[in-house]
Amino acid sequence: MTALLLRRSASLFLTLLAVSGLIFLVMQVLPGDPAAIMLGTSASPETLAALRHELGLDQPMLVRYLAWIGGLATGDLGTSTTYGVPVSGLIGERLAVTLPLALMAIGLSIAIALPLGVLSAARRNGPADYIAGFISQLFIAVPGFWVGLLLALVFAVKLGVMPSGGFPGWQTGFWPALQALVLPAIALALPQAGVLTRVTRSSVAEVLGEDFVRTARAKGLPKRAALWRHAVRNALVPVVTILGLQFTFLIAGAVLVENVFNLPGLGRLAYQALTQRDLVVMQDVVMFFAGLVILMNFLVDMSYLLLDPRLREAGR
Amino acid sequence: MSAAPLLSVENLDIAMRLPDGGRLPIVKDFSLTLQAGDTLGIVGESGSGKSLLSLAVMGLLPPAAIASGRILLEGRDLMALDDDGMSRVRGRRIGMIFQEPMTALNPAMTVGDQIAEGLVRHEKLSWKAAREAAVDLLDRVRIPDPRARAKAYPHQMSGGQRQRVGIAIAVAMRPALMIADEPTTALDVTVQAEVLEILDDLCAREGMALMLISHDLGVIARMCARTLVLYAGRRMEEGDTRGVLTEPLNPYTRGLLRAVPRRRVDGAPLDTIPGTVPGFARLPEGCVFSDRCGDVVAACRAGEPAWTQPRPNRGVRCIRAQQEMPA
Ligand SMILES: Nc1ncnc2c1ncn2[C@@H]1O[C@H](COP(=O)(O)OP(=O)(O)OP(=O)(O)O)[C@@H](O)[C@H]1O
Ligand code: SF4
Ligand SMILES: [Mg+2]
């Protein structure tokens, strides 16, 4: 088990390294010289050369790469060319918006999908199943940003009970800040909840047909207990897998939803960096997203070991 | 004794709902009586309805099955109970052991907890006390080093050990009736004998009645005082095991007996019953065995023979057997 953990951690590290190399290479071939962008078109070749030297852009590629990942390891992510502030601070600030947003969206998605999917599976082909199926199809079919706009229209513009966009910042208080994230989180969560409901339903339905569920019933467990203690517990592996995959879409969704709701999150930072050709920020943010996705996959892998004891030995 | 028998099944019919809306009758006119401590073997070929019968008694028939008739446990009609009521009977009054030890246990739960679970729910033991009881039960089904093995997961055990865990789960609450549906079919021959002995021993010690289901007459002869022969969902013959085996009244029972492998000096080939079990949708007219029976006469096809009791504690379904018996 420990050996397995060590091995997985090593492979996590190697993956991160490989991805950082890939991102670095891609950034090299992107058109645009950060120094030239910073100085504008009227700069003299001398000032340009001086700035290039100051930014280390005149160094060989390998040196620049090593400097970059060295900085990543120590928390020094360089300085934004557009804002002139350290990127680490920028990411930290934006993360305070995106992380709660993502967690709320995931939490909401699970809170909708798990009960709905389990209910669907337990009442297969009954009215509850059809209703749940209709709801999840609806969630899947309707794009998240459109739901976001609709929610904003109803709750913010018409009813005025929710902010329609923008973010007051956590320093203004927990509740107003959280409130600003509720509608965007719902917009992010619904499409994911739709898919997750379907996956939960089919996985639980399959496990419900297994012999060990019948054994559980035979020792006197009522339907509900057999369902939750035995069936759902064994149906979670595919659910967690999809949850991990959805994380990637969540990040993509965050870029969209943060722009729709005008939230100063990481997604908007990435979008701004792209439009303003802030290559330093872009490289760091992309790396940060990639790191999050890889870490999430690692956590999903680890959760398999928790969920299925058979896998603990398989990896020994 | 005037008390109600432990188990009494009266005129049980089980049909399967078909996708096209029709019904396919499987078990018909099934009755049996079991007194406390009785051992009854039910023998029948694959597909004869043995598992459906045992699941009907447990109230765990698949959703597509429709049952009618009465199943009384200690005089109480089980078919009239709702699921919560039946959950108090399952495990506590009736324990069940299943055929497939490889799939019958939850892969994500330690075997100790799977044994303890019923005790926690029904006997209101704390998990600590129930786990302690589970260790004791593992010991009683002769699992070596039970304290350590209680923490094992099913995949860490052999098939024979898992089946013993299955037995431990089923006996945990000392039910009055134990149903074992082909408990050793999936096991190696060497392991079979040991598992049967453990089962036999526990039933005797706890005074549990045993309903043992098997397609193997040898297993039933060893374990059960009474034997019931099932064919295509019908009782063909019932009686004390010795009587049924030495003096079979139904031609199907005779065919089964001829098909039992035994040590032979002459090396003669084993007899088999000609033909195969017909599907339930294509059962012959009259006696369900008439298309394979060597003793068939015209009257056999006229109508399904009734269940008759030529002697006390002996029953048979066969026209010829009735005719040959003195009135
Ligand atoms: N869930 C089901 N859906 C439809 N038909 C079923 C179902 N379960 C059983 N049957 C039918 O009922 C008949 C009896 O099945 P059952 O499982 O009781 O047989 P069995 O005697 O236990 O056989 P085996 O020795 O193979 O376990 C089978 O022939 C099958 O066609
Ligand atoms: S009734 Fe006829 S066909 Fe059926 S078992 Fe008896 S002799 Fe054979
Ligand atoms: Mg069976």
Side-chain angles (χ1 to χ4, degrees), chain A residues 9-28:
Chain A
S9 307
S11 98
L12 167 79
F13 178 75
L14 287 177
T15 316
L16 279 171
L17 206 64
V19 167
S20 72
L22 201 67
I23 291 174
F24 184 80
L25 279 177
V26 169
M27 297 307 289
Q28 299 313 301

Side-chain angles (χ1 to χ4, degrees), chain A residues 20-315:
Chain A
S20 72
L22 201 67
I23 291 174
F24 184 80
L25 279 177
V26 169
M27 297 307 289
Q28 299 313 301
V29 302
L30 276 188
D33 176 349
I37 294 167
M38 281 171 83
L39 293 172
T41 41
S42 58
S44 71
E46 290 76 35
T47 20
L48 188 66
L51 185 64
R52 284 181 60 89
H53 180 72
E54 196 192 317
L55 293 175
L57 292 174
D58 52 352
Q59 305 274 346
M61 223 159 84
L62 186 66
V63 175
R64 278 183 290 134
Y65 172 66
L66 290 178
W68 179 52
I69 58 166
L72 287 183
T74 55
D76 172 15
L77 306 187
T79 306
S80 159
T81 49
T82 44
Y83 300 95
V85 295
V87 181
S88 53
L90 214 51
I91 288 185
E93 210 172 88
R94 302 303 186 95
L95 197 59
V97 177
T98 301
L99 193 66
L101 176 67
L103 290 181
M104 268 167 81
I106 292 177
L108 196 65
S109 162
I110 294 173
I112 295 172
L114 203 64
L116 207 58
V118 171
L119 177 82
S120 236
R123 310 262 169 85
R124 222 161 336 157
N125 301 325
D129 185 21
Y130 288 120
I131 294 170
F134 175 74
I135 293 174
S136 57
Q137 289 300 338
L138 201 67
F139 286 176
I140 295 168
V142 179
F145 73 91
W146 188 81
V147 174
L149 288 175
L150 197 72
L151 289 173
L153 190 70
V154 174
F155 289 98
V157 180
K158 285 263 185 317
L159 300 175
V161 291
M162 286 280 177
S164 67
F167 186 71
W170 292 102
Q171 70 282 353
T172 60
F174 179 72
W175 181 235
L178 195 72
Q179 224 180 1
L181 298 180
V182 169
L183 294 185
I186 293 176
L188 268 179
L190 292 190
Q192 308 225 344
V195 174
L196 206 58
T197 303
R198 307 311 294 160
V199 174
T200 306
R201 179 196 183 270
S202 68
S203 181
V204 172
E206 193 186 316
V207 177
L208 273 176
E210 302 264 357
D211 284 356
F212 64 81
V213 176
R214 194 177 56 190
T215 308
R217 299 273 284 136
K219 67 180 128 175
L221 292 201
K223 273 199 182 109
R224 225 169 319 105
L227 176 69
W228 287 99
R229 288 184 57 86
H230 291 268
V232 175
R233 174 77 166 72
N234 279 282
L236 286 182
V237 165
V239 176
V240 170
T241 306
I242 296 300
L243 210 57
L245 287 176
Q246 285 189 330
F247 189 75
T248 316
F249 294 102
L250 195 74
I251 287 176
V255 176
L256 207 63
V257 164
E258 283 175 3
N259 279 300
V260 168
F261 280 90
N262 196 22
L263 295 174
L266 269 180
R268 219 151 73 102
L269 181 65
Y271 179 73
Q272 286 164 340
L274 185 75
T275 51
Q276 293 162 357
R277 304 212 144 270
D278 191 335
L279 297 185
V280 179
V281 170
M282 231 164 97
Q283 182 166 316
D284 284 342
V285 171
V286 170
M287 183 63 212
F288 188 80
F289 280 158
L292 275 183
V293 169
I294 292 167
L295 186 71
M296 197 64 185
N297 277 318
F298 174 75
L299 291 178
V300 165
D301 269 3
M302 290 296 114
S303 76
Y304 292 160
L305 301 183
L306 275 182
L307 293 173
D308 190 343
R310 283 169 296 190
L311 299 175
R312 285 172 216 165
E313 272 118 278

Side-chain angles (χ1 to χ4, degrees), chain B residues 50-51 99 181-182:
Chain B
K50 307 183 295 294
S51 293
Q99 176 169 349
D181 185 1
E182 311 239 21

Side-chain angles (χ1 to χ4, degrees), chain A residues 210-225 229-231 233-234 307-313, chain B residues 55 58 60 83-84 87 90-91 98 100 103-109 114 117-118 121-122 127 153 155-156 169 173:
Chain A
E210 302 264 357
D211 284 356
F212 64 81
V213 176
R214 194 177 56 190
T215 308
R217 299 273 284 136
K219 67 180 128 175
L221 292 201
K223 273 199 182 109
R224 225 169 319 105
R229 288 184 57 86
H230 291 268
R233 174 77 166 72
N234 279 282
L307 293 173
D308 190 343
R310 283 169 296 190
L311 299 175
R312 285 172 216 165
E313 272 118 278
Chain B
L55 291 174
M58 288 298 280
L60 289 177
D83 190 62
D84 278 347
S87 291
R90 290 186 206 114
F98 295 95
E100 284 294 334
T103 54
L105 299 178
N106 184 339
M109 203 188 242
Q114 296 191 52
E117 197 177 21
R121 174 159 292 270
H122 287 299
W127 270 101
Y153 288 95
H155 72 275
Q156 294 163 325
I169 291 174
M173 284 167 276

Side-chain angles (χ1 to χ4, degrees), chain B residues 106-170:
Chain B
N106 184 339
M109 203 188 242
T110 62
V111 295
D113 281 8
Q114 296 191 52
I115 300 169
E117 197 177 21
L119 294 167
V120 171
R121 174 159 292 270
H122 287 299
E123 315 223 313
K124 308 288 175 235
L125 294 189
S126 68
W127 270 101
K128 191 169 183 296
R131 288 194 175 114
E132 207 48 46
V135 171
D136 199 50
L137 280 155
L138 283 174
D139 189 41
R140 295 183 58 194
V141 294
R142 302 181 203 168
I143 298 252
D145 195 8
R147 192 162 296 277
R149 296 308 272 163
K151 297 195 186 78
Y153 288 95
H155 72 275
Q156 294 163 325
M157 297 186 139
S158 68
Q161 284 188 323
R162 288 187 217 189
Q163 195 56 302
R164 290 185 226 187
V165 171
I167 296 176
I169 291 174

Side-chain angles (χ1 to χ4, degrees), chain B residues 236 250-252 287 289-290 293 295-297 300 305 317-321:
Chain B
M236 297 307 266
N250 187 298
Y252 176 63
C287 173
F289 188 52
S290 58
C293 182
D295 298 351
V296 61
V297 292
C300 300
R317 189 190 299 278
C318 174
I319 300 221
R320 299 281 305 263

